[in-house]
Structures are given as structure tokens and as C-alpha cells.
């Protein structure tokens, strides 16, 4: 039995399983037509009722029965396609729509539904061809015109996304794909494209979620396996990442991105491990060089590179490359601003170079993140050193080390006192005399503190000192509390007498 629909006219033709030899076809009319129609269309009418009630699964079953009863009816396939679209089963709906238009090339609803299925699946060019076919049959069809514009917009979004990816503007790609997926909600290709860029932006949980959703539907999807591996790779889970890349290559041996990522992952892990082994063997120069080589493998791997910078900083510290150590820690923190180990390493380097304000800032960041007793102690130590650094450094004034003995302090004091005594600079300009007098007083203050064991301890511990007894002045002579040195001056001459 065949049915041909042309507008308001319907011609129904039945023939024997084997056409008669004379080629005569029997046309069903009257009562025969009614009985035949009821036999085939009862399921369709039931399906229409379920569809109107939004009971799409029941409608699908009814339309399937109708198709089984009359597989040559285009409208039955068209109706089931509409139901499958409501169930978001677009690939199956596409097959039914295509079958409908194969049976009846003038079936406009079939072409429209095929185009919409192509749109939902992200094939904008195919969708546009379908809508243009509708417009050939009915040039004034407003729905086809609107849907064709949507298809053209989708093609433009895809073009913009590809251009953005070439320019490494991954945020733009995500933006374009979000807009594209609002139309092509069932397009795995767009979802994967978005997920890959989310991974490249460091938004790993979002990227993993998209890839996992696709893998639940299709565990053999090579693109989804690649993105899943990419997330693990960028999270420094390199061994697991390699497994996903290998699985993706099994599914699609020509998957170039998976092949490149797999090669980089293996090379990066090997070079990092070599550096770690060299460091453990105290071969710091070799470790430093190996970490440098590892950093050149993949600039996009943020977390691994952050660790490599920090590892190189540790090796650099062992080699007394203090400035390079600070720079490497800073680079690590730029890549991962939550990297506590890099903050601690940089803070220690700041302490070693007496950059106490910077050290305090780093230790504060660490303590805010991890409030441990160790971090609290490190912060207080840095704060104390900062406080001490803001006072006069009496050790520098005398030119001695912080562990200088009492005799060394006395000797240094005598030398500095002679050097900066005002009478020794009596012939200098007023400005120089004033400066030397100031230095001379500082020498006295320094000696007063450092020669007194109690004051020295308080000074070394960063405590405030009393203001009594630094030095005192009398006329043309100055007597220090230690009575170690006196000087006498007269017209045109001076001499020193040490106690």
C-alpha cells in the first residue's frame, strides 16, 4: 500500500505482493479506503493525543506501531521525529526526518525537522540546506527563514571560535561555544571544544564535568578521553593523564592532539624525575639544568611548571643564586598563587637578603592560608627582624659582626671613635663637621648598648631600650659611660687618651 499526499489531495494505491502481470493497480476507494485508513492511522491518532499531553514516550510507542503497520508513510516518520526531538534524542530524530523526506521529497515538515535536528547536533551547513529546500517549496515560509538565520549565526559563531583558538583567546572560544550550545544543545563537538578551552584556562572541574558527561553516553569518544586526560595532565597527575591519552589513541589512532599531549606528558615527567634524582644526589648544578630543560617542554602546563620553578629555586638556593631563587619563586606564584611552598621558599630568601618587609608579606600570606604553629613562628621571627631593621644597626655602626666578642667590640669602638672625632675634622666644612659629629655620637650610642650585656641582649631580641646612658656631653669634652676614651683639645691640636 502506498500513499501520496499533495496538498488537499490524497491518492492511496494498493498492489499485490507481486504486481499483476498486466500491470493493473487496484485503487482503494469508498469503504475499502475507510477500513484501510482505520487500520493504519489508529496508532497515529493515539500518538497525537499522547503528544498533545506531553506524554512523549507513549507517543513514541504509538508512532512506532503506526510505522510498523505502514512503513511507507512519510508523515508517521515525521511525527515520530518530532516526538524524538522532544525527548532530546536528536540523532534518532534526524534518521526519522531523513526517512520521511526520502519517502516524500515535498514533505516540508520533514525538511524542517531534519534541519532542526542538524542544528541541535551542530551541523549548521546541513541545516541551512534543509531550510533552503523548504523555501524552494514555499518561499514565504517564515519559520524556515528564521531557522536559516539561526543556522547562519551558528556558522559565524563557530568561525569566531576557531579564530579565537588560533589566537589562544580561550575565553572567547568559551563565550562563542556557550552561545552556540544554546542552539546546538546536543552537539558533542561544541561541548568538547568548550571543555578543552576550559582546561587550557585552568578551569579543570568544569572541563572534567563536560568530558565525563559525554563519556557516560559514549565511553569510546576519543575527544572526551583526550580532554579528560588534558585536565589530569594540567593538574600534575601525569601518570593518569598518559593512560587517558593512550586510550584516546586506541579509539582514534590519528588523534593528533592526544598524540602530542601524550608525548609532552611523558617527556615532562621524565625530565622532572631526572632533576629530582640529581637533587637527591646533591648534584645541584645538574638538577638546576634539568629543571630548566623541563620548563621549556610545555609552557601551558601551569601547575607542573609552578612546581618546576619552585624546584629550581630550591636548587638555586643551594648554589647561592639568591636573586634567581627569588625570581623563580615569583614565577611559581604567578602560575599558582596558592602555592605555599613557593611563598615559604621566597620568604626565606628575603630573610637571607634582609628584605624583611617582603618576607613578612609572604609569611602573612602563608599564615592566612595555613594557620600552623610553625608558620606563626616564622611570621613572628620575620616581624621581629623587620622591627630590628628599622632601628639603628649598632653592629654596622661599629663595623662588627653580630657575633663579635667583647674585645672585638672595644677595638672597633676605639677605631671608629678616632675616625669620627670632631676635632679631627676641625678644618673641614661646616657640613662635614656636622656629619662627622653625628657619626661620632652614633659610635658612642652603639658602644653604650653593645658593651652592656643586658642592653645587648635586649637589643638583639628586638626590645625597646631605655633612653638613659647613651652618652652625655660636657663643654668641649664628651665622656662615655664606659670611660674607655677621653679627648682633650686646645687651639690647633688634640690628642686621645684611652682607659
Amino acid at each position: 500500500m502506498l500513499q501520496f499526499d499533495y496538498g488537499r489531495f490524497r491518492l492511496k494505491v494498493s498492489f499485490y505482493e507481486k504486481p499483476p502481470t498486466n500491470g493493473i493497480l487496484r485503487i482503494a476507494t469508498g469503504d475499502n479506503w475507510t477500513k484501510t485508513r482505520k487500520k493504519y492511522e489508529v496508532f497515529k491518532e493515539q500518538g497525537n493525543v499522547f503528544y498533545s499531553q506531553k506524554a512523549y514516550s507513549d507517543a513514541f510507542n504509538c508512532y512506532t506501531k503506526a510505522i510498523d503497520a505502514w512503513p511507507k508513510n512519510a508523515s508517521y516518520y515525521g511525527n515520530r521525529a518530532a516526538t524524538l526531538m522532544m525527548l532530546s534524542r536528536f540523532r534518532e530524530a534526524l534518521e526519522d526526518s531523513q526517512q520521511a523526506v526520502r519517502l516524500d521529497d515535498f514533505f516540508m515538515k520533514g525538511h524542517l525537522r531534519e534541519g532542526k535536528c542538524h542544528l541541535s547536533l551542530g551541523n549548521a551547513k546541513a541545516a541551512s540546506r534543509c531550510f533552503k529546500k523548504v523555501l524552494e517549496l514555499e518561499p514565504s515560509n517564515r519559520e524556515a527563514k528564521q531557522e536559516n538565520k539561526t543556522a547562519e549565526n551558528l556558522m559565524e559563531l563557530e568561525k569566531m571560535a576557531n579564530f579565537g583558538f588560533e589566537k589562544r583567546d580561550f575565553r572567547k572560544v568559551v563565550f562563542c561555544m556557550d552561545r552556540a550550545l544554546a542552539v546546538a544543545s546536543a552537539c558533542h563537538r561544541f561541548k568538547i571544544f568548550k571543555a578543552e578551552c576550559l582546561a587550557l584556562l585552568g578551569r579543570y572541574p568544569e572541563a572534567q564535568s563536560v568530558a565525563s558527561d559525554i563519556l557516560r553516553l559514549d565511553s569510546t569518544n576519543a575527544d572526551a578521553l583526550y580532554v579528560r586526560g588534558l585536565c589530569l595532565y594540567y593538574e600534575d597527575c601525569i601518570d593518569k593523564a598518559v593512560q587517558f591519552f593512550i586510550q584516546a589513541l586506541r579509539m582514534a589512532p590519528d588523534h593528533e592532539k592526544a598524540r602530542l599531549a601524550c608525548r609532552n606528558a611523558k617527556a615532562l615527567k621524565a625530565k622532572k624525575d631526572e632533576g629530582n634524582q640529581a637533587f637527591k644526589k646533591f648534584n645541584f648544578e645538574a638538577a638546576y639544568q634539568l629543571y630548566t630543560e623541563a620548563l621549556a617542554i610545555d609552557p601551558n602546563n601551569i601547575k607542573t611548571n609552578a612546581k618546576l620553578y619552585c624546584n629550581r629555586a630550591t636548587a638555586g638556593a643551594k648554589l647561592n643564586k639568591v636573586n634567581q631563587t627569588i625570581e623563580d619563586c615569583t614565577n611559581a606564584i604567578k602560575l599558582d598563587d596558592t602555592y605555599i611552598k613557593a611563598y615559604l621558599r621566597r620568604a626565606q630568601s628575603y630573610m637571607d637578603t634582609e628584605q624583611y618587609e617582603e618576607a613578612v608579606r609572604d609569611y602573612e600570606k602563608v599564615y592566612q592560608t595555613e594557620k600552623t604553629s610553625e608558620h606563626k613562628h616564622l611570621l613572628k621571627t620575620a616581624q621581629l627582624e623587620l622591627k630590628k631593621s628599622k632601628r639603628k644597626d649598632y653592629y654596622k655602626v661599629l663595623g662588627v659582626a653580630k657575633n663579635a666578642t667583647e674585645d672585638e667590640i672595644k677595638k672597633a669602638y676605639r677605631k671608629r671613635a678616632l675616625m669620627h672625632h670632631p676635632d679631627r675634622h676641625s678644618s673641614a666644612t661646616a657640613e662635614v663637621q656636622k656629619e662627622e659629629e653625628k657619626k661620632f655620637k652614633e659610635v658612642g650610642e652603639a658602644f653604650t648598648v653593645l658593651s652592656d650585656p643586658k642592653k645587648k641582649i635586649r637589643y638583639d631580641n628586638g626590645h625597646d631600650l631605655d633612653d638613659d646612658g647613651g652618652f652625655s656631653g660636657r663643654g668641649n669634652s664628651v665622656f662615655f659611660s664606659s670611660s674607655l676614651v677621653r679627648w682633650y683639645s686646645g687651639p690647633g691640636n688634640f690628642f686621645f687618651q684611652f682607659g
Side-chain angles (χ1 to χ4, degrees):
M1 178 74 67
L2 294 179
Q3 175 177 301
F4 302 94
D5 293 316
Y6 295 97
R8 294 177 301 160
F9 303 100
R10 173 175 291 169
L11 177 64
K12 210 163 196 178
V13 180
S14 65
F15 52 84
Y16 297 103
E17 186 174 354
K18 291 184 179 180
T21 55
N22 58 9
I24 299 174
L25 297 179
R26 184 185 303 165
I27 299 177
T29 59
D31 292 339
N32 289 337
W33 164 260
T34 302
K35 290 178 182 179
T36 303
R37 181 178 182 277
K38 286 183 178 180
K39 181 179 178 181
Y40 295 122
E41 295 212 341
V42 63
F43 296 124
K44 173 188 174 183
E45 291 170 359
Q46 289 175 347
N48 290 346
V49 172
F50 284 126
Y51 188 93
S52 65
Q53 295 172 349
K54 298 184 179 180
Y56 300 118
S57 294
D58 293 327
F60 170 81
N61 292 332
C62 290
Y63 291 138
T64 300
K65 290 178 182 178
I67 290 171
D68 290 342
W70 193 358
K72 298 297 183 180
N73 189 305
S75 66
Y76 293 174
Y77 284 100
N79 287 1
R80 191 170 71 171
T83 305
L84 287 166
M85 290 169 69
M86 299 307 295
L87 292 168
S88 296
R89 293 161 61 178
F90 294 102
R91 294 190 185 281
E92 296 169 76
L94 177 61
E95 292 175 6
D96 275 359
S97 299
Q98 290 174 331
Q99 179 61 16
V101 298
R102 275 196 291 268
L103 291 170
D104 182 0
D105 192 43
F106 296 94
F107 186 26
M108 284 189 294
K109 285 185 178 180
H111 288 296
L112 273 172
R113 286 167 186 161
E114 182 187 355
K116 289 180 179 180
C117 288
H118 280 307
L119 269 185
S120 296
L121 294 168
N123 193 343
K125 288 184 178 180
S128 183
R129 286 195 296 269
C130 294
F131 300 136
K132 287 177 180 178
K133 177 64 176 180
V134 174
L135 292 172
E136 287 177 9
L137 297 172
E138 187 180 313
S140 62
N141 191 300
R142 297 175 65 181
E143 185 178 6
K145 288 180 180 179
Q146 184 59 46
E147 293 293 352
N148 193 48
K149 286 183 180 179
T150 302
E152 290 174 352
N153 290 338
L154 188 60
M155 283 187 274
E156 185 61 27
L157 284 170
E158 189 172 3
K159 182 179 177 182
M160 289 169 59
N162 288 331
F163 181 77
F165 191 85
E166 289 177 6
K167 298 296 181 181
R168 304 190 64 79
D169 188 352
F170 304 124
R171 286 183 177 82
K172 184 175 183 179
V173 177
V174 172
F175 171 77
C176 290
M177 288 299 97
D178 279 338
R179 292 182 65 186
L181 285 166
V183 176
S185 58
C187 181
H188 286 181
R189 181 165 50 86
F190 289 171
K191 290 178 181 179
I192 289 295
F193 199 11
K194 174 185 174 180
E196 182 180 1
C197 291
L198 287 172
L200 293 169
L201 289 168
R203 294 161 62 178
Y204 308 120
E206 295 173 74
Q208 287 179 4
S209 177
V210 174
S212 297
D213 287 345
I214 292 173
L215 288 172
R216 275 193 289 271
L217 297 172
D218 178 10
S219 61
T220 65
N221 189 300
D223 291 327
L225 290 167
Y226 160 71
V227 170
R228 187 75 180 87
L230 197 65
C231 292
L232 290 166
Y233 171 61
Y234 285 143
E235 289 184 297
D236 199 37
C237 300
I238 295 181
D239 288 332
K240 289 183 179 179
V242 169
Q243 293 175 11
F244 275 93
F245 294 143
I246 291 173
Q247 193 175 352
L249 288 168
R250 286 198 188 108
M251 298 299 106
D254 59 344
H255 200 296
E256 192 58 35
K257 287 183 178 180
R259 187 181 305 282
L260 177 61
C262 190
R263 185 173 68 234
N264 283 345
K266 288 179 178 179
L268 193 57
K269 184 179 185 301
K271 194 66 69 173
K272 181 182 176 184
D273 288 347
E274 285 183 57
N276 292 345
Q277 289 300 318
F279 189 90
K280 288 177 182 177
K281 293 178 181 178
F282 305 101
N283 191 348
F284 304 123
E285 284 283 3
Y288 191 93
Q289 181 59 33
L290 287 164
Y291 292 139
T292 301
E293 292 172 8
L295 282 165
I297 292 173
D298 186 2
N300 295 321
N301 195 322
I302 293 172
K303 279 205 170 182
T304 302
N305 286 343
K307 290 183 179 180
L308 287 169
Y309 273 120
C310 194
N311 287 0
R312 191 171 75 171
T314 305
K318 296 291 185 180
L319 297 168
N320 293 320
K321 297 181 178 182
V322 183
N323 292 333
Q324 185 62 50
T325 296
I326 292 173
E327 184 179 340
D328 279 347
C329 289
T330 300
N331 287 330
I333 291 167
K334 285 179 181 178
L335 294 176
D336 182 2
D337 62 1
T338 66
Y339 195 7
I340 296 300
K341 189 176 178 181
Y343 282 107
L344 288 170
R345 167 58 57 193
R346 187 172 71 174
Q348 183 58 56
S349 296
Y350 282 141
M351 292 290 286
D352 293 341
T353 54
E354 299 183 0
Q355 300 179 65
Y356 299 119
E357 287 188 9
E358 291 81 356
V360 167
R361 186 170 60 246
D362 279 354
Y363 282 133
E364 283 176 341
K365 173 70 175 179
V366 170
Y367 186 63
Q368 288 170 3
T369 306
E370 295 182 359
K371 296 184 182 298
T372 66
S373 57
E374 180 185 358
H375 294 159
K376 184 176 182 180
H377 173 71
L378 290 170
L379 174 58
K380 284 193 171 183
T381 301
Q383 289 172 333
L384 177 60
E385 291 300 322
L386 175 60
K387 180 180 178 182
K388 288 161 65 175
S389 71
K390 292 182 180 296
R391 310 171 309 173
K392 290 180 182 177
D393 188 339
Y394 289 143
Y395 291 102
K396 284 186 178 180
V397 170
L398 293 183
V400 295
K402 292 183 179 180
N403 59 352
T405 64
E406 184 177 349
D407 285 341
E408 288 172 338
I409 289 172
K410 287 179 180 180
K411 289 178 182 179
Y413 163 64
R414 290 169 181 165
K415 180 180 178 181
R416 295 291 172 127
L418 286 170
M419 185 184 303
H420 299 297
H421 184 275
D423 286 348
R424 191 167 188 174
H425 302 279
S426 59
S427 61
T429 63
E431 185 177 350
V432 172
Q433 288 183 19
K434 185 175 180 181
E435 183 64 25
E436 292 298 325
E437 184 178 354
K438 178 182 176 182
K439 290 180 180 179
F440 185 67
K441 289 180 180 180
E442 287 178 348
V443 169
E445 290 176 23
F447 182 72
T448 299
V449 172
L450 299 183
S451 63
D452 185 320
K454 291 183 179 179
K455 289 184 177 180
K456 184 176 184 298
I457 290 172
R458 289 178 59 80
Y459 176 80
D460 288 343
N461 290 334
H463 299 304
D464 294 329
L465 300 172
D466 295 330
D467 292 329
D468 57 347
F471 59 88
S472 60
R474 293 181 184 170
N476 205 29
S477 302
V478 178
F479 297 85
F480 292 92
S481 58
S482 63
S483 300
L484 269 176
V485 63
R486 299 181 180 87
W487 67 89
Y488 306 91
S489 61
N493 61 75
F494 63 87
F495 66 90
F496 299 89
Q497 176 182 335
F498 291 94

